[in-house]
Amino acid sequence: MSTTTDTESTTPQTTTVALRATGHVRDAMETPQQEFTFEGDTLRDLLEEFFDQHPELAEMLIAETEAEASTSGWAKPPENLPGTWHKNPEGEQTKPFARVMVNGKFNEVLDGFDTKISDGDRVSFVYPFIFCC
């Protein structure tokens, strides 16, 4: 017999994370270090809610196409790479040099945008300054 009431089962889960930003994203954010509470428990849930509120930051970080996720000058990888290599699917990648991290790890080495997030986790938007000649 279940003891869950209708109210409990329809109440959405919320998660609160420590949200941090560096580089160009830090400059663009009003508050580059903040707690952020969102409905859900995945990186995708966080990003959707945060970028709904701050679409200009999504434009800085998220690549919509494979071409936006790539840059010229990368070395061609060998045919047989060691270990397990995978890439986030198109539309779920960051722009060159931009990264989204969960607890200090790039989302690409976790479960991409489906990475589970718990209360108190640290999520970072990283887009370093690049200086040239």
Side-chain angles (χ1 to χ4, degrees), residues 19-22 25-27 29-34:
L19 187 60
R20 304 290 185 260
T22 66
V25 181
R26 179 183 177 90
D27 288 346
M29 285 178 66
E30 286 180 27
T31 310
Q33 294 185 16
Q34 60 182 282

Side-chain angles (χ1 to χ4, degrees), residues 24-87:
H24 297 302
V25 181
R26 179 183 177 90
D27 288 346
M29 285 178 66
E30 286 180 27
T31 310
Q33 294 185 16
Q34 60 182 282
E35 280 193 349
F36 185 74
T37 302
F38 62 97
E39 286 186 11
D41 66 350
T42 65
L43 181 58
R44 180 183 315 280
D45 297 330
L46 180 152
L47 294 174
E48 286 175 0
E49 193 164 326
F50 187 80
F51 292 151
D52 280 348
Q53 297 173 25
H54 306 281
E56 70 284 1
L57 296 177
E59 291 176 20
M60 292 180 77
L61 290 166
I62 305 302
E64 295 295 324
T65 65
E66 186 69 35
E68 285 182 345
S70 303
T71 186
S72 63
W74 294 119
K76 196 168 186 111
E79 254 184 65
N80 297 315
L81 293 168
T84 302
W85 292 76
H86 64 277
K87 184 174 189 175

Side-chain angles (χ1 to χ4, degrees), residues 10-11 17 23 29 33 38 41 49 51 67 93 99 101 104 108 112 117 123:
T10 59
T11 303
V17 299
M29 285 178 66
Q33 294 185 16
F38 62 97
D41 66 350
E49 193 164 326
F51 292 151
Q93 298 174 22
R99 292 290 177 264
M101 301 172 73
E108 294 93 343
I117 296 182
V123 176

